[in-house]
Amino acid sequence: MNFSKMRVLVLGNGESGRGAGYALEKLGAEVTVVSSDKLPQEIRNSDMVVVSPGIRPEHPIFDYAAKRGLPLIGETGLGAMINRAPVIGVTGTNGKTTVVSMLGAIYSATCISAAVCGNIGKSFARTVVDKQYDRVILELSSFQLTHAAPLKVHIACLLNVASDHIDYHGSYDEYLKAKLHISDGQTKDDYFLVPADLDLHGISSSPRVLREGKDFRTADGYLTVAGRRIMPVSELAVSGAHNVKNALFAAAAAYIDGIDENAIAEGLRGFRTGAHRISFVGEYNGTCFYNDSKGTNVSATLAAAECMRGNTALIAGGSDKACDYGELFGNLPPYVTAVFLTGGNAEKMADAARVAGRRNVVVCADLSECVRLSSRGGYDNVLFSPASASFDRYANYAERGEVFEREVKNLFSGEN
């Protein structure tokens, strides 16, 4: 598409919106970037609308565009229109950022230039308008996939699907449908890597489906793809069963793309998880504090809890996403003996915890109080893994994690 002199309205001024605006201006469009819960006045003079992934489905802009035949795409769709490189796309309820980061580490061990972008915090459109790469490794949320056309993914990874973002999608089935959009546009020359038990009934595309446990698996202590041993699990620098699975998906995607197993092993051996992902913060009076602010849903928090050893207190709570917290408190490991809750859904979580039979449940005013009280309980570990979004009090999970770490460090310095 020729964007020269086209009048484009970009709705949303976060990283996606700003990135879309930057890319469009570079392509010669006349761009207006706005952030509004209402229908912007500027839409009346627009030739196209680009929406950021955070724009909710009930926003009037969608109905307005549909009734008037006004072209509307997502920032991911805009990036797809600009991009010329094969895409490795990664989605799932949990593990997306880790897997795309692992793939970035793998490709850095080769001579293939690869951009890592998308939901990881780097606009797809901004990334590919500045430079053409050999590969694009794209993290895709359910929000981004809702308006992703004309995106075509050569190697698609759907890591897992658990109940999440029901407040946005309305139901689990609609959430799953959004995740499956990653395969839209795939053909028999493309690949779709999926969990062992995922039902693919109803997908409209016809990729080569590869299933975990059959086509790629962990066997005899090795990551194995297409019957070939890639590397021993014991050589991974990350811990936890969920991270072994993440490494398996990354290894499978890279191997399918023709990457040598030595480069795959080299990339994965050196990979370590980033900030806010079960990161060790420090030890205070014999208690180890861990920051898992990236744990924004029930299944992520359960995975983080499984990584703990010894008597553990959990700090959780935030903005609600209509999740079933009974699943969380009914399945926490027995060594999680105390729960400290704060945030917009704290009382709802506390009710679910008590129904599940948990008695040591404390609702706190803020994170500072959670940290202070949990530090006095004589626990081996305090795990901050909210099982909730951050938007009740913070801009994002990273800011929330930084606040938690600051509160813990205040304990070390005696400021609390």
Side-chain angles (χ1 to χ4, degrees), residues 1 27 52 61 69 144 189 199 242 279 288 337 374 395 405 408:
M1 179 179 290
L27 294 169
S52 298
I61 200 163
Q144 289 168 314
D189 297 320
D199 183 1
H242 62 299
S279 303
C288 295
T337 57
S374 63
E405 293 191 3
V408 173

Side-chain angles (χ1 to χ4, degrees), residues 46-161:
S46 300
D47 302 313
M48 172 182 275
V49 177
V50 177
V51 293
S52 298
I55 304 302
R56 296 188 65 85
E58 63 268 19
H59 195 287
I61 200 163
F62 297 107
D63 185 59
Y64 181 96
K67 287 180 177 178
R68 289 161 178 79
L70 181 64
L72 182 149
I73 60 173
E75 186 267 342
T76 301
L78 176 64
M81 296 172 76
I82 302 167
N83 176 51
R84 296 292 178 269
V87 173
I88 301 173
V90 180
T91 194
T93 304
N94 297 306
K96 300 183 294 295
T97 300
T98 298
V99 172
V100 297
S101 300
M102 285 175 166
L103 283 165
I106 290 169
Y107 279 81
S108 68
T110 73
C111 60
I112 298 172
S113 65
V116 178
C117 54
N119 194 57
I120 196 170
K122 296 177 65 177
S123 161
F124 180 23
R126 183 199 297 272
T127 299
V128 296
V129 80
D130 277 335
K131 178 183 176 182
Q132 289 296 328
Y133 293 85
D134 297 324
R135 298 289 187 281
V136 170
I137 301 166
L138 189 60
E139 179 181 342
L140 293 160
S141 70
S142 59
F143 304 157
Q144 289 168 314
L145 285 166
T146 301
H147 300 286
L151 178 67
K152 180 182 184 297
V153 177
H154 176 48
I155 300 172
C157 299
L158 177 48
L159 309 177
N160 46 63
V161 185

Side-chain angles (χ1 to χ4, degrees), residues 147-313:
H147 300 286
L151 178 67
K152 180 182 184 297
V153 177
H154 176 48
I155 300 172
C157 299
L158 177 48
L159 309 177
N160 46 63
V161 185
S163 183
D164 196 13
H165 297 300
I166 305 305
D167 59 323
Y168 181 97
H169 294 286
S171 69
Y172 172 83
D173 288 343
E174 289 300 313
Y175 174 60
L176 173 59
K177 188 184 298 183
K179 289 294 188 185
L180 289 173
H181 280 314
I182 195 172
S183 68
D184 290 354
Q186 286 195 304
T187 70
K188 60 181 178 60
D189 297 320
D190 303 312
Y191 299 86
F192 194 12
L193 281 62
V194 299
D197 56 352
L198 185 70
D199 183 1
L200 293 178
H201 176 73
I203 68 167
S204 58
S205 58
S206 55
R208 304 181 206 181
V209 175
L210 303 180
R211 288 195 177 273
E212 177 194 7
K214 177 184 176 185
D215 303 296
F216 58 103
R217 59 199 178 104
T218 304
D220 301 322
Y222 280 81
L223 301 182
T224 304
V225 182
R228 191 172 188 88
R229 288 182 170 183
I230 304 297
M231 65 178 294
V233 171
S234 61
E235 293 182 4
L236 293 171
V238 293
S239 60
H242 62 299
N243 276 324
V244 173
K245 178 175 178 175
N246 290 336
L248 177 62
F249 267 88
Y255 185 81
I256 290 165
D257 196 33
I259 304 302
D260 178 83
E261 53 260 45
N262 292 324
I264 297 173
E266 180 183 342
L268 290 176
R269 283 192 195 101
F271 177 82
R272 283 160 178 75
T273 53
H276 316 296
R277 294 171 182 84
I278 323 180
S279 303
F280 177 68
V281 179
E283 184 177 342
Y284 177 79
N285 286 348
T287 299
C288 295
F289 288 80
Y290 293 89
N291 172 14
D292 187 49
S293 184
K294 188 67 168 66
T296 59
N297 55 61
V298 168
S299 53
T301 294
L302 287 172
E306 291 289 347
C307 293
M308 298 294 104
R309 294 293 181 269
N311 188 12
T312 299

